Amino acid sequence: MREVTLLHGDGIGPEVISAAREVLEAAGAQLQWRDFAVGQEALDAGGEILPAAALESIERTGVCLKGPITTPVGEGFPSVNVALRKRLDLYANVRPVYNLPHVRSRFSGVDLVVVRENTEGLYSGIEHEVVPGVVESLKIATEKGCRRIARFAFDYARSHGRRRVHSVHKANIMKLTDGLFLRMAREAAKDYPEIEYREVIVDNACMQLVMKPEQFDVLVLENLYGDILSDLCAGLVGGLGMVAGANLGERAAIFEAVHGSAPDIAGKGIANPTAVMMAGVMLLRHIGASGPADRLQAALLGVYESGQHLTRDVGGSASTAEFTQAVLARLR
Ligand code: NAI
């Protein structure tokens, strides 16, 4: 049995996480879950937003499956997601984006991977009031942080048979911070001659992605651009219910859906659990459980190929439970 930390999260989190747990077990994964409440759920129970026991469990088990966690906008407690990534130094956020059959989307042939730097940039959370009416937010870039994410992107490309890496930046304006990011990417590129290296300014990248997404393979971006562009990329293949992500560091790895807690549909039983199930597949591969990972991936693909039991966000009418049953039926 392999121990895995489980964070249910807020909003649709508990609905999609329990669906994922069911299918992971049915796929034959020998997992021992260690459950913890964090964020709003933990506060409501009178605890801290990020209990030390949850962090310790992630470090001890090395892997975590996580539901989305609500972050209050413009006030209230700071993001638990950002805190987890920084405290555990989960510097690489990897989000594979590709089409699945029968999913309504504007494009076919999308098959790209967003590699987002997860610990620096404007998400450093260093904000203050300079004088009343003037506030400042600092964008941090370090040589170490830029170098390791660039090398990660090229290593990922090499080990996954990818051919091209685009570095996405705004170094024409942010000459120091994005300039450093670009310099480190150029340096890394020299060690991977078989991988084509290109650069694209972030605003142009957005336009290119919604015109010709098939030109992209691996994209490497600093934190904020990566956050925004990965939602954009999810929109290319049917929306946020479809895309999973891994937050990877030397000490631990957290797997989750790209989407948030979706308060508009929470509790209605209609959330698409595909993204978090795909995050489960990534987790299984990470721990070397390739048999269960292949089974679960095939079962998910099978449901999409059949075109039946799809959830509303991708043009079907199934509930979360009906979709989950359809996946389970293919695993039994
Ligand atoms: P969101 O991703 O929760 O929702 C955006 C839209 O996509 C909504 O219309 C929602 O119904 C839809 N959607 C998302 N996931 C879906 C699914 N599985 N099935 C069907 N439809 C789905 O983004 P929003 O509304 O900006 O954020 C809500 C909260 O989530 C915020 O507090 C935010 O901070 C938090 N959040 C947490 C993340 C995490 O824990 N990693 C990531 C993104 C946001």
Side-chain angles (χ1 to χ4, degrees), residues 12 66 68-71 81 85 240-241 256 258-265 271-272 313:
I12 60 170
K66 176 188 154 298
I69 301 173
T70 296
T71 308
N81 299 308
R85 293 166 188 169
L240 286 164
E256 62 182 339
V258 168
H259 63 71
S261 54
D264 53 337
I265 57 166
N272 185 351
D313 55 314

PDB file of all heavy atoms in Angstrom, residues 12 66 68-71 81 85 240-241 256 258-265 271-272 313, ligand 1:
ATOM      1  N   ILE A  12     -16.802  22.404  -5.390  1.00  0.00           N
ATOM      2  CA  ILE A  12     -16.981  21.099  -6.029  1.00  0.00           C
ATOM      3  C   ILE A  12     -15.880  20.105  -5.629  1.00  0.00           C
ATOM      4  O   ILE A  12     -15.941  18.940  -6.014  1.00  0.00           O
ATOM      5  CB  ILE A  12     -17.017  21.207  -7.581  1.00  0.00           C
ATOM      6  CG1 ILE A  12     -15.709  21.806  -8.129  1.00  0.00           C
ATOM      7  CG2 ILE A  12     -18.229  21.977  -8.053  1.00  0.00           C
ATOM      8  CD1 ILE A  12     -15.578  21.720  -9.651  1.00  0.00           C
ATOM      9  N   LYS A  66      -5.266  16.616  -4.580  1.00  0.00           N
ATOM     10  CA  LYS A  66      -5.850  17.788  -3.941  1.00  0.00           C
ATOM     11  C   LYS A  66      -7.056  18.321  -4.703  1.00  0.00           C
ATOM     12  O   LYS A  66      -7.013  18.452  -5.924  1.00  0.00           O
ATOM     13  CB  LYS A  66      -4.760  18.864  -3.866  1.00  0.00           C
ATOM     14  CG  LYS A  66      -5.181  20.174  -3.320  1.00  0.00           C
ATOM     15  CD  LYS A  66      -4.068  21.189  -3.476  1.00  0.00           C
ATOM     16  CE  LYS A  66      -4.641  22.578  -3.540  1.00  0.00           C
ATOM     17  NZ  LYS A  66      -5.534  22.821  -4.662  1.00  0.00           N
ATOM     18  N   PRO A  68      -9.771  21.594  -5.357  1.00  0.00           N
ATOM     19  CA  PRO A  68      -9.550  23.037  -5.441  1.00  0.00           C
ATOM     20  C   PRO A  68      -9.864  23.734  -4.121  1.00  0.00           C
ATOM     21  O   PRO A  68     -10.761  23.309  -3.396  1.00  0.00           O
ATOM     22  CB  PRO A  68     -10.551  23.472  -6.518  1.00  0.00           C
ATOM     23  CG  PRO A  68     -11.608  22.411  -6.512  1.00  0.00           C
ATOM     24  CD  PRO A  68     -10.919  21.144  -6.154  1.00  0.00           C
ATOM     25  N   ILE A  69      -9.116  24.769  -3.836  1.00  0.00           N
ATOM     26  CA  ILE A  69      -9.308  25.499  -2.576  1.00  0.00           C
ATOM     27  C   ILE A  69      -9.676  26.946  -2.872  1.00  0.00           C
ATOM     28  O   ILE A  69      -8.989  27.626  -3.639  1.00  0.00           O
ATOM     29  CB  ILE A  69      -8.020  25.421  -1.717  1.00  0.00           C
ATOM     30  CG1 ILE A  69      -7.697  23.942  -1.427  1.00  0.00           C
ATOM     31  CG2 ILE A  69      -8.195  26.197  -0.418  1.00  0.00           C
ATOM     32  CD1 ILE A  69      -6.371  23.732  -0.749  1.00  0.00           C
ATOM     33  N   THR A  70     -10.755  27.390  -2.270  1.00  0.00           N
ATOM     34  CA  THR A  70     -11.234  28.767  -2.480  1.00  0.00           C
ATOM     35  C   THR A  70     -10.259  29.765  -1.872  1.00  0.00           C
ATOM     36  O   THR A  70      -9.744  29.550  -0.787  1.00  0.00           O
ATOM     37  CB  THR A  70     -12.619  28.933  -1.801  1.00  0.00           C
ATOM     38  OG1 THR A  70     -13.535  28.058  -2.465  1.00  0.00           O
ATOM     39  CG2 THR A  70     -13.117  30.365  -1.886  1.00  0.00           C
ATOM     40  N   THR A  71     -10.020  30.855  -2.589  1.00  0.00           N
ATOM     41  CA  THR A  71      -9.241  31.974  -2.037  1.00  0.00           C
ATOM     42  C   THR A  71     -10.106  33.220  -2.111  1.00  0.00           C
ATOM     43  O   THR A  71     -10.557  33.588  -3.203  1.00  0.00           O
ATOM     44  CB  THR A  71      -7.951  32.223  -2.862  1.00  0.00           C
ATOM     45  OG1 THR A  71      -7.238  30.993  -2.987  1.00  0.00           O
ATOM     46  CG2 THR A  71      -7.064  33.238  -2.185  1.00  0.00           C
ATOM     47  N   ASN A  81      -3.218  27.523  -1.925  1.00  0.00           N
ATOM     48  CA  ASN A  81      -2.526  26.894  -3.061  1.00  0.00           C
ATOM     49  C   ASN A  81      -1.117  27.446  -3.214  1.00  0.00           C
ATOM     50  O   ASN A  81      -0.156  26.702  -3.360  1.00  0.00           O
ATOM     51  CB  ASN A  81      -3.302  27.147  -4.352  1.00  0.00           C
ATOM     52  CG  ASN A  81      -4.684  26.553  -4.282  1.00  0.00           C
ATOM     53  OD1 ASN A  81      -4.835  25.386  -3.975  1.00  0.00           O
ATOM     54  ND2 ASN A  81      -5.699  27.367  -4.522  1.00  0.00           N
ATOM     55  N   ARG A  85       2.531  25.507  -2.537  1.00  0.00           N
ATOM     56  CA  ARG A  85       3.575  25.437  -3.570  1.00  0.00           C
ATOM     57  C   ARG A  85       4.879  26.033  -3.064  1.00  0.00           C
ATOM     58  O   ARG A  85       5.957  25.516  -3.345  1.00  0.00           O
ATOM     59  CB  ARG A  85       3.091  26.167  -4.830  1.00  0.00           C
ATOM     60  CG  ARG A  85       1.930  25.441  -5.488  1.00  0.00           C
ATOM     61  CD  ARG A  85       1.212  26.295  -6.510  1.00  0.00           C
ATOM     62  NE  ARG A  85       0.003  25.633  -6.985  1.00  0.00           N
ATOM     63  CZ  ARG A  85      -0.931  26.217  -7.725  1.00  0.00           C
ATOM     64  NH1 ARG A  85      -0.805  27.475  -8.091  1.00  0.00           N
ATOM     65  NH2 ARG A  85      -1.993  25.542  -8.109  1.00  0.00           N
ATOM     66  N   LEU A 240     -12.368  23.931 -18.272  1.00  0.00           N
ATOM     67  CA  LEU A 240     -11.564  23.624 -17.084  1.00  0.00           C
ATOM     68  C   LEU A 240     -11.822  22.235 -16.508  1.00  0.00           C
ATOM     69  O   LEU A 240     -11.002  21.705 -15.775  1.00  0.00           O
ATOM     70  CB  LEU A 240     -11.830  24.688 -16.010  1.00  0.00           C
ATOM     71  CG  LEU A 240     -11.172  26.033 -16.301  1.00  0.00           C
ATOM     72  CD1 LEU A 240     -11.773  27.132 -15.444  1.00  0.00           C
ATOM     73  CD2 LEU A 240      -9.669  25.942 -16.063  1.00  0.00           C
ATOM     74  N   GLY A 241     -12.947  21.645 -16.858  1.00  0.00           N
ATOM     75  CA  GLY A 241     -13.230  20.296 -16.352  1.00  0.00           C
ATOM     76  C   GLY A 241     -12.332  19.237 -16.966  1.00  0.00           C
ATOM     77  O   GLY A 241     -12.342  18.075 -16.549  1.00  0.00           O
ATOM     78  N   GLU A 256      -3.576  17.892  -9.057  1.00  0.00           N
ATOM     79  CA  GLU A 256      -4.884  18.531  -8.923  1.00  0.00           C
ATOM     80  C   GLU A 256      -5.442  18.868 -10.298  1.00  0.00           C
ATOM     81  O   GLU A 256      -4.730  18.796 -11.306  1.00  0.00           O
ATOM     82  CB  GLU A 256      -4.770  19.807  -8.079  1.00  0.00           C
ATOM     83  CG  GLU A 256      -3.866  20.858  -8.701  1.00  0.00           C
ATOM     84  CD  GLU A 256      -3.707  22.110  -7.845  1.00  0.00           C
ATOM     85  OE1 GLU A 256      -4.548  22.372  -6.979  1.00  0.00           O
ATOM     86  OE2 GLU A 256      -2.732  22.844  -8.072  1.00  0.00           O
ATOM     87  N   VAL A 258      -6.847  21.741 -12.920  1.00  0.00           N
ATOM     88  CA  VAL A 258      -6.472  23.144 -13.110  1.00  0.00           C
ATOM     89  C   VAL A 258      -7.583  24.060 -12.564  1.00  0.00           C
ATOM     90  O   VAL A 258      -7.331  25.167 -12.104  1.00  0.00           O
ATOM     91  CB  VAL A 258      -6.198  23.427 -14.613  1.00  0.00           C
ATOM     92  CG1 VAL A 258      -6.100  24.916 -14.890  1.00  0.00           C
ATOM     93  CG2 VAL A 258      -4.906  22.733 -15.039  1.00  0.00           C
ATOM     94  N   HIS A 259      -8.815  23.562 -12.570  1.00  0.00           N
ATOM     95  CA  HIS A 259      -9.945  24.425 -12.187  1.00  0.00           C
ATOM     96  C   HIS A 259      -9.977  24.756 -10.695  1.00  0.00           C
ATOM     97  O   HIS A 259      -9.293  24.133  -9.885  1.00  0.00           O
ATOM     98  CB  HIS A 259     -11.270  23.801 -12.622  1.00  0.00           C
ATOM     99  CG  HIS A 259     -11.602  22.485 -11.972  1.00  0.00           C
ATOM    100  ND1 HIS A 259     -11.961  22.378 -10.649  1.00  0.00           N
ATOM    101  CD2 HIS A 259     -11.647  21.227 -12.484  1.00  0.00           C
ATOM    102  CE1 HIS A 259     -12.230  21.105 -10.385  1.00  0.00           C
ATOM    103  NE2 HIS A 259     -12.032  20.382 -11.466  1.00  0.00           N
ATOM    104  N   GLY A 260     -10.826  25.739 -10.362  1.00  0.00           N
ATOM    105  CA  GLY A 260     -11.020  26.130  -8.977  1.00  0.00           C
ATOM    106  C   GLY A 260     -12.237  25.450  -8.374  1.00  0.00           C
ATOM    107  O   GLY A 260     -12.719  24.423  -8.890  1.00  0.00           O
ATOM    108  N   SER A 261     -12.749  26.043  -7.308  1.00  0.00           N
ATOM    109  CA  SER A 261     -13.814  25.400  -6.524  1.00  0.00           C
ATOM    110  C   SER A 261     -15.196  25.573  -7.149  1.00  0.00           C
ATOM    111  O   SER A 261     -16.180  25.047  -6.619  1.00  0.00           O
ATOM    112  CB  SER A 261     -13.794  25.939  -5.094  1.00  0.00           C
ATOM    113  OG  SER A 261     -13.863  27.350  -5.112  1.00  0.00           O
ATOM    114  N   ALA A 262     -15.293  26.310  -8.257  1.00  0.00           N
ATOM    115  CA  ALA A 262     -16.532  26.469  -9.035  1.00  0.00           C
ATOM    116  C   ALA A 262     -17.764  26.676  -8.156  1.00  0.00           C
ATOM    117  O   ALA A 262     -18.697  25.862  -8.182  1.00  0.00           O
ATOM    118  CB  ALA A 262     -16.722  25.266  -9.968  1.00  0.00           C
ATOM    119  N   PRO A 263     -17.797  27.764  -7.383  1.00  0.00           N
ATOM    120  CA  PRO A 263     -18.932  27.963  -6.464  1.00  0.00           C
ATOM    121  C   PRO A 263     -20.282  28.011  -7.185  1.00  0.00           C
ATOM    122  O   PRO A 263     -21.306  27.669  -6.587  1.00  0.00           O
ATOM    123  CB  PRO A 263     -18.622  29.303  -5.775  1.00  0.00           C
ATOM    124  CG  PRO A 263     -17.475  29.906  -6.516  1.00  0.00           C
ATOM    125  CD  PRO A 263     -16.785  28.826  -7.262  1.00  0.00           C
ATOM    126  N   ASP A 264     -20.273  28.396  -8.471  1.00  0.00           N
ATOM    127  CA  ASP A 264     -21.560  28.497  -9.202  1.00  0.00           C
ATOM    128  C   ASP A 264     -22.238  27.141  -9.402  1.00  0.00           C
ATOM    129  O   ASP A 264     -23.451  27.077  -9.595  1.00  0.00           O
ATOM    130  CB  ASP A 264     -21.351  29.220 -10.557  1.00  0.00           C
ATOM    131  CG  ASP A 264     -20.238  28.606 -11.417  1.00  0.00           C
ATOM    132  OD1 ASP A 264     -19.341  27.931 -10.868  1.00  0.00           O
ATOM    133  OD2 ASP A 264     -20.271  28.804 -12.643  1.00  0.00           O
ATOM    134  N   ILE A 265     -21.479  26.043  -9.362  1.00  0.00           N
ATOM    135  CA  ILE A 265     -22.114  24.728  -9.566  1.00  0.00           C
ATOM    136  C   ILE A 265     -21.907  23.789  -8.371  1.00  0.00           C
ATOM    137  O   ILE A 265     -22.313  22.632  -8.419  1.00  0.00           O
ATOM    138  CB  ILE A 265     -21.617  24.045 -10.866  1.00  0.00           C
ATOM    139  CG1 ILE A 265     -20.088  23.891 -10.858  1.00  0.00           C
ATOM    140  CG2 ILE A 265     -22.066  24.800 -12.109  1.00  0.00           C
ATOM    141  CD1 ILE A 265     -19.581  22.923 -11.939  1.00  0.00           C
ATOM    142  N   ALA A 271     -20.606  18.700 -11.599  1.00  0.00           N
ATOM    143  CA  ALA A 271     -19.209  19.008 -11.957  1.00  0.00           C
ATOM    144  C   ALA A 271     -18.607  17.861 -12.754  1.00  0.00           C
ATOM    145  O   ALA A 271     -18.916  16.694 -12.535  1.00  0.00           O
ATOM    146  CB  ALA A 271     -18.388  19.240 -10.690  1.00  0.00           C
ATOM    147  N   ASN A 272     -17.732  18.218 -13.664  1.00  0.00           N
ATOM    148  CA  ASN A 272     -17.010  17.225 -14.459  1.00  0.00           C
ATOM    149  C   ASN A 272     -15.786  16.747 -13.657  1.00  0.00           C
ATOM    150  O   ASN A 272     -14.881  17.547 -13.396  1.00  0.00           O
ATOM    151  CB  ASN A 272     -16.569  17.872 -15.778  1.00  0.00           C
ATOM    152  CG  ASN A 272     -15.913  16.882 -16.722  1.00  0.00           C
ATOM    153  OD1 ASN A 272     -15.629  15.746 -16.340  1.00  0.00           O
ATOM    154  ND2 ASN A 272     -15.661  17.310 -17.942  1.00  0.00           N
ATOM    155  N   ASP A 313     -20.775  20.487 -19.045  1.00  0.00           N
ATOM    156  CA  ASP A 313     -19.771  21.472 -19.476  1.00  0.00           C
ATOM    157  C   ASP A 313     -19.164  21.108 -20.821  1.00  0.00           C
ATOM    158  O   ASP A 313     -18.631  21.976 -21.513  1.00  0.00           O
ATOM    159  CB  ASP A 313     -18.655  21.584 -18.415  1.00  0.00           C
ATOM    160  CG  ASP A 313     -18.030  20.236 -18.090  1.00  0.00           C
ATOM    161  OD1 ASP A 313     -18.779  19.266 -17.895  1.00  0.00           O
ATOM    162  OD2 ASP A 313     -16.789  20.149 -18.068  1.00  0.00           O
TER     163      ASP A 313
HETATM  164  P1  NAI B   1     -13.261  28.017 -11.394  1.00  0.00           P
HETATM  165  O1  NAI B   1     -12.268  27.207 -12.089  1.00  0.00           O
HETATM  166  O2  NAI B   1     -13.686  27.537 -10.050  1.00  0.00           O
HETATM  167  O3  NAI B   1     -14.560  28.169 -12.313  1.00  0.00           O
HETATM  168  C1  NAI B   1     -14.563  28.823 -13.583  1.00  0.00           C
HETATM  169  C2  NAI B   1     -15.736  28.319 -14.425  1.00  0.00           C
HETATM  170  O4  NAI B   1     -15.462  26.974 -14.859  1.00  0.00           O
HETATM  171  C3  NAI B   1     -17.038  28.263 -13.653  1.00  0.00           C
HETATM  172  O5  NAI B   1     -18.096  28.610 -14.512  1.00  0.00           O
HETATM  173  C4  NAI B   1     -17.153  26.800 -13.249  1.00  0.00           C
HETATM  174  O6  NAI B   1     -18.482  26.350 -13.074  1.00  0.00           O
HETATM  175  C5  NAI B   1     -16.476  26.083 -14.414  1.00  0.00           C
HETATM  176  N1  NAI B   1     -15.839  24.841 -13.949  1.00  0.00           N
HETATM  177  C6  NAI B   1     -14.704  24.732 -13.235  1.00  0.00           C
HETATM  178  N2  NAI B   1     -14.445  23.453 -12.981  1.00  0.00           N
HETATM  179  C7  NAI B   1     -15.425  22.733 -13.521  1.00  0.00           C
HETATM  180  C8  NAI B   1     -15.724  21.336 -13.570  1.00  0.00           C
HETATM  181  N3  NAI B   1     -14.923  20.416 -12.999  1.00  0.00           N
HETATM  182  N4  NAI B   1     -16.854  20.932 -14.212  1.00  0.00           N
HETATM  183  C9  NAI B   1     -17.647  21.826 -14.806  1.00  0.00           C
HETATM  184  N5  NAI B   1     -17.430  23.166 -14.798  1.00  0.00           N
HETATM  185  C10 NAI B   1     -16.328  23.613 -14.160  1.00  0.00           C
HETATM  186  O7  NAI B   1     -12.655  29.488 -11.294  1.00  0.00           O
HETATM  187  P2  NAI B   1     -13.098  30.738 -10.402  1.00  0.00           P
HETATM  188  O8  NAI B   1     -14.580  30.844 -10.363  1.00  0.00           O
HETATM  189  O9  NAI B   1     -12.295  31.841 -10.939  1.00  0.00           O
HETATM  190  O10 NAI B   1     -12.556  30.423  -8.964  1.00  0.00           O
HETATM  191  C11 NAI B   1     -13.341  29.929  -7.886  1.00  0.00           C
HETATM  192  C12 NAI B   1     -12.456  29.747  -6.657  1.00  0.00           C
HETATM  193  O11 NAI B   1     -11.500  28.712  -6.901  1.00  0.00           O
HETATM  194  C13 NAI B   1     -11.656  30.992  -6.272  1.00  0.00           C
HETATM  195  O12 NAI B   1     -11.690  31.105  -4.859  1.00  0.00           O
HETATM  196  C14 NAI B   1     -10.244  30.694  -6.728  1.00  0.00           C
HETATM  197  O13 NAI B   1      -9.276  31.336  -5.956  1.00  0.00           O
HETATM  198  C15 NAI B   1     -10.194  29.184  -6.517  1.00  0.00           C
HETATM  199  N6  NAI B   1      -9.207  28.490  -7.388  1.00  0.00           N
HETATM  200  C16 NAI B   1      -8.518  27.476  -6.823  1.00  0.00           C
HETATM  201  C17 NAI B   1      -7.623  26.751  -7.579  1.00  0.00           C
HETATM  202  C18 NAI B   1      -6.912  25.622  -6.934  1.00  0.00           C
HETATM  203  O14 NAI B   1      -7.252  25.205  -5.836  1.00  0.00           O
HETATM  204  N7  NAI B   1      -5.894  25.078  -7.563  1.00  0.00           N
HETATM  205  C19 NAI B   1      -7.366  27.068  -8.991  1.00  0.00           C
HETATM  206  C20 NAI B   1      -8.204  28.131  -9.515  1.00  0.00           C
HETATM  207  C21 NAI B   1      -9.069  28.826  -8.721  1.00  0.00           C
END
